[in-house]
Amino acid sequence: MKHILIIIKKEWAEVFQNRMVLFTMIFVPLIFVALPLATLYFTGQSMGGDVAGDLADVPAGFLSECGTDMTASDCMQVYLINMYLLLFMMLPVIIPVTIAAYSVVGEKTTRSLEPLLATPITTFELLAGKSLAAAIPAIMAGWLSFGIFLLGLPMLGVSQVVFRYIIGPTWLLAVMVAGPLMAIAAVNFALFVSSRVNDPRVAEQISVLLIIPIMAALFAQLAGIIVIDLFVMLSYIAAMVLVDIGMIYLGVTIFERETILTRWK
Amino acid sequence: MIETNSLTKIFKIKKGADIPAVVDLTLTVREGEVFGFLGPNGAGKTTTIRMLTSLIGPTSGTARVCGYELGLNDQDIRRSVGLLTESPGMYDRLSAAKNLAIYANLYDVEDVEGQLKKYLQMLGLWSRRDDPVGSFSKGMRQKLAICRALLHEPRLLFLDEPTSGLDPEAAKLVRSFIEDLRSQGRTIFMCTHNLNEADRLCDRIGIFRTNLIEVDTPQNLRLKLFGRKVVFHLRSVDPSWIPLVSSLEGVSDVSLIDNKLVIALENPANQNPHIIRTLVAQGADVQFVGELRRSLEEIYLQTMGENQDEVAKS
């Protein structure tokens, strides 16, 4: 455990000296908070119009999510805001990928990996330290963003019904459980890629592919193919647990000190 | 301290032939010895160090390092040895002290602050301890890397090109530091291309190119390859003296270079006075007498040349 903490501290000390990384970690969450709040604000302003007409654009499958206590205006807001649920899930994926992708291959380029691997640290300790160092700030940023988002809702005059929906099980599970699980998967995937390539740029580019399934889910919801309700979220969490176990196992077993050191040439 | 038995490393290349980097290396490095591992680029020196520090596994063969079996007690080996890699590999954004503290903690050093202070002061970096390593010169980085290799007080130290790319002043400091380490009784396994450095620092040297070609003390290698030769500086030379000197007991070869007679002898201490008396009796003015000292570079090149010929023949 001590070695894992040393690696986490080392990674943070290095990463947080980098202004670009800090900027990404602060700016991206702010955008992800601002977007849904702005959407709520502007939809709230324009709800005096043809709400029934607007609701006709909402996929039929989603209307059951609205419940009987919601007005048409509330239902429209919930539908729109539900699109941003995926953004809050995407946040813990986007932030750590850059850090994790650079993690191993970056040490290879600066030639600091060899002396590090020459210490009595085990592969598990090294990878656990690196993945936690990337995942923890991202998870914290995701939770913090969601907290700011919740604080902003009453200020925009969002109705109690909509607020209750957002702090309901689907959203809470998405932000508090699914997001961190995705962060762990993303970080381990990025570390896996990072240990297999020789160029940090390649590692980043490949790792960013991870957001494709989330984007697919976003468009599927927009098209009415799926509705992210509690059942979908629980199924997704169960799947992500399996993915995480698989990714961690794969990362540790495939991390070959020898290949990483010698393939450099 | 190090015992290898037929240690072999063959790199598997996906498309193409396998590349043998180290073949049948059987070697013993004794405790307290400074062992120089010499060879051309790509000879397998770094691969050997990586195997002996448990960074990569051998394809075949066995080795014991600090009493631990390679492949079975890798963590113990890593804990017992210090490694100065070819490139310092520091975290540029972090300070010198932070860099070292990371490693001290990974090696479970008890008195981290004390060890940091000890080695940073020893290598003249104490006043720069809080500066980011990115602002350091190459020599300073190398010195910092040496500190890192020593923080946990390893019994055995692997130095891969310790003075490579350093200016003469920094190289001298590193060399004198290695001498200090030797005087402390540490075992040092050193790869270097600087043959004068190896000559000065190493108790024994191994000349290596995938296979171990020669292992001995520099002095023994000199004797083995070139014998002992003494140079007699004369004011002038009469060619008739050459057969006369050649006929003396213990003289195996005499050659004339300018006004110098280069005489191969078995035992110069016994034979020199007799040769001087003979030459003086012939009317020679003997100005200086000294042993012809072959440089390690000459030994190295001779060994490599012979090995090349053997490889070509086979």
Side-chain angles (χ1 to χ4, degrees):
Chain A
M1 192 62 194
K2 184 191 166 192
H3 288 172
I4 295 174
L5 287 174
I6 294 165
I7 295 295
I8 293 173
K9 279 185 192 168
K10 191 267 298 176
E11 294 283 316
W12 285 354
E14 259 209 302
V15 161
F16 295 132
Q17 295 268 341
N18 189 330
R19 285 180 187 171
M20 274 310 290
V21 175
L22 265 183
F23 175 77
T24 311
M25 289 193 61
I26 296 166
F27 185 71
V28 174
L30 284 178
I31 290 283
F32 278 31
V33 171
L35 278 174
L37 288 178
T39 304
L40 282 172
Y41 176 75
F42 289 115
T43 52
Q45 295 282 310
S46 61
M47 279 304 167
D50 185 11
V51 177
D54 289 338
L55 269 182
D57 296 331
V58 174
F62 189 82
L63 292 173
S64 60
E65 277 291 289
C66 290
T68 50
D69 55 344
M70 282 190 195
T71 64
S73 166
D74 292 339
C75 187
M76 189 64 202
Q77 279 195 327
V78 164
Y79 172 67
L80 289 173
I81 210 70
N82 226 33
M83 299 299 167
Y84 293 106
L85 172 67
L86 289 160
L87 283 190
F88 281 105
M89 286 166 69
M90 208 187 287
L91 200 55
V93 175
I94 292 171
I95 291 175
V97 157
T98 317
I99 303 170
Y102 187 77
S103 200
V104 177
V105 73
E107 294 228 29
K108 257 158 71 168
T109 50
T110 57
R111 308 277 173 147
S112 55
L113 191 61
E114 188 168 356
L116 187 62
L117 292 176
T119 66
I121 194 167
T122 63
T123 301
F124 175 76
E125 287 169 338
L126 179 70
L127 291 180
K130 281 183 175 290
S131 70
L132 286 171
I136 290 170
I139 293 167
M140 298 311 287
W143 288 350
L144 198 64
S145 305
F146 185 63
I148 296 170
F149 172 68
L150 290 182
L151 286 175
L153 290 175
M155 293 177 203
L156 295 173
V158 169
S159 70
Q160 282 295 311
V161 186
V162 174
F163 188 80
R164 273 202 305 274
Y165 178 82
I166 291 169
I167 58 164
T170 308
W171 268 75
L172 284 182
L173 280 172
V175 176
M176 307 306 278
V177 183
L181 286 173
M182 287 177 70
I184 292 166
V187 162
N188 281 284
F189 177 72
L191 276 175
F192 167 72
V193 172
S194 183
S195 63
R196 309 300 290 181
V197 298
N198 287 332
D199 190 332
R201 289 165 297 186
V202 176
E204 272 183 45
Q205 282 165 0
I206 297 175
S207 303
V208 164
L209 296 176
L210 264 179
I211 61 167
I212 288 175
I214 306 171
M215 295 303 288
L218 181 68
F219 288 117
Q221 185 168 252
L222 269 173
I225 299 167
I226 58 164
V227 173
I228 300 176
D229 55 15
L230 188 58
F231 175 74
V232 170
M233 189 50 65
L234 285 171
S235 309
Y236 185 77
I237 285 169
M240 281 313 297
V241 168
L242 295 177
V243 169
D244 280 0
I245 292 168
M247 288 303 301
I248 292 167
Y249 176 77
L250 200 70
V252 175
T253 50
I254 286 181
F255 187 91
E256 287 176 13
R257 288 166 184 250
E258 177 169 334
T259 315
I260 289 167
L261 286 176
T262 55
R263 194 184 43 207
W264 178 249
K265 288 176 179 175
Chain B
M1 190 57 80
I2 301 174
E3 284 175 50
T4 71
N5 186 17
S6 297
L7 201 66
T8 299
K9 181 69 193 178
I10 296 169
F11 287 112
K12 305 273 179 202
I13 306 295
K14 276 180 187 170
K15 292 173 187 172
D18 293 345
I19 297 176
V22 177
V23 175
D24 270 338
L25 176 65
T26 299
L27 177 72
T28 301
V29 177
R30 294 184 280 267
E31 189 158 5
E33 180 174 51
V34 178
F35 187 87
F37 204 50
L38 313 181
N41 289 329
K45 303 186 299 294
T46 300
T47 301
T48 303
I49 286 188
R50 283 176 172 170
M51 280 196 283
L52 295 176
T53 51
S54 292
L55 279 166
I56 61 174
T59 308
S60 63
T62 58
R64 285 182 78 80
V65 179
C66 296
Y68 298 111
E69 195 77 34
L70 198 68
L72 294 177
N73 312 107
D74 288 349
Q75 293 290 95
D76 294 316
I77 291 175
R78 287 191 204 120
R79 203 169 279 120
S80 309
V81 306
L83 171 64
L84 174 72
T85 48
E86 201 173 347
S87 174
M90 292 287 171
Y91 302 112
D92 282 359
R93 292 177 191 277
L94 306 185
S95 69
K98 273 188 182 164
N99 263 280
L100 293 187
I102 290 165
Y103 284 90
N105 285 315
L106 285 173
Y107 280 110
D108 299 318
V109 170
E110 282 181 13
D111 180 14
V112 174
E113 289 299 314
Q115 287 297 92
L116 250 68
K117 192 172 181 182
K118 175 182 168 184
Y119 284 108
L120 284 171
Q121 280 182 337
M122 219 179 251
L123 281 149
L125 293 172
W126 180 245
S127 62
R128 299 288 305 270
R129 64 188 180 280
D130 294 324
D131 295 346
V133 175
S135 67
F136 280 19
S137 68
K138 193 169 181 182
M140 290 164 75
R141 284 163 187 262
Q142 189 75 342
K143 284 191 263 181
L144 193 62
I146 293 173
C147 291
R148 179 179 63 195
L150 287 163
L151 281 172
H152 57 299
E153 304 292 353
R155 293 156 62 197
L156 169 62
L157 197 58
F158 288 92
L159 306 176
D160 197 353
E161 303 288 351
T163 56
S164 166
L166 298 188
D167 62 55
E169 206 176 326
K172 189 182 169 195
L173 195 141
V174 169
R175 270 195 297 275
S176 68
F177 189 68
I178 294 170
E179 279 169 348
D180 286 348
L181 294 173
R182 178 168 65 175
S183 65
Q184 290 166 19
R186 297 205 202 232
T187 311
I188 298 172
F189 186 98
M190 183 170 86
C191 288
T192 180
H193 286 302
N194 186 333
L195 300 176
N196 286 331
E197 179 177 283
D199 204 2
R200 199 182 313 173
L201 296 173
C202 299
D203 299 307
R204 283 194 309 145
I205 57 166
I207 299 178
F208 182 80
R209 180 162 54 197
T210 310
N211 300 284
L212 191 59
I213 303 167
E214 288 282 358
V215 190
D216 216 325
T217 62
Q219 187 55 29
N220 285 348
L221 285 173
R222 274 190 190 94
L223 285 176
K224 197 169 160 183
L225 291 169
F226 298 105
R228 295 189 78 174
K229 289 184 178 174
V230 178
V231 186
F232 292 78
H233 295 251
L234 308 173
R235 190 177 298 280
S236 61
V237 177
D238 183 337
S240 67
W241 298 343
I242 297 172
L244 178 69
V245 173
S246 299
S247 65
L248 296 175
E249 195 186 334
V251 175
S252 55
D253 183 53
V254 180
S255 56
L256 178 65
I257 303 168
D258 299 328
N259 280 344
K260 294 188 283 275
L261 283 179
V262 180
I263 305 174
L265 296 168
E266 286 167 12
N267 188 345
N270 287 341
Q271 291 156 325
N272 278 350
H274 184 51
I275 292 170
I276 292 168
R277 278 197 298 272
T278 305
L279 286 169
V280 169
Q282 294 298 313
D285 286 339
V286 181
Q287 293 174 307
F288 309 102
V289 179
E291 186 162 7
L292 179 67
R293 188 178 160 83
R294 297 286 187 167
S295 67
L296 189 57
E297 185 176 77
E298 287 173 287
I299 297 170
Y300 174 83
L301 293 173
Q302 175 86 7
T303 309
M304 280 297 168
E306 284 175 8
N307 177 254
Q308 194 93 332
D309 292 344
E310 279 173 27
V311 170
K313 277 178 196 167
S314 64

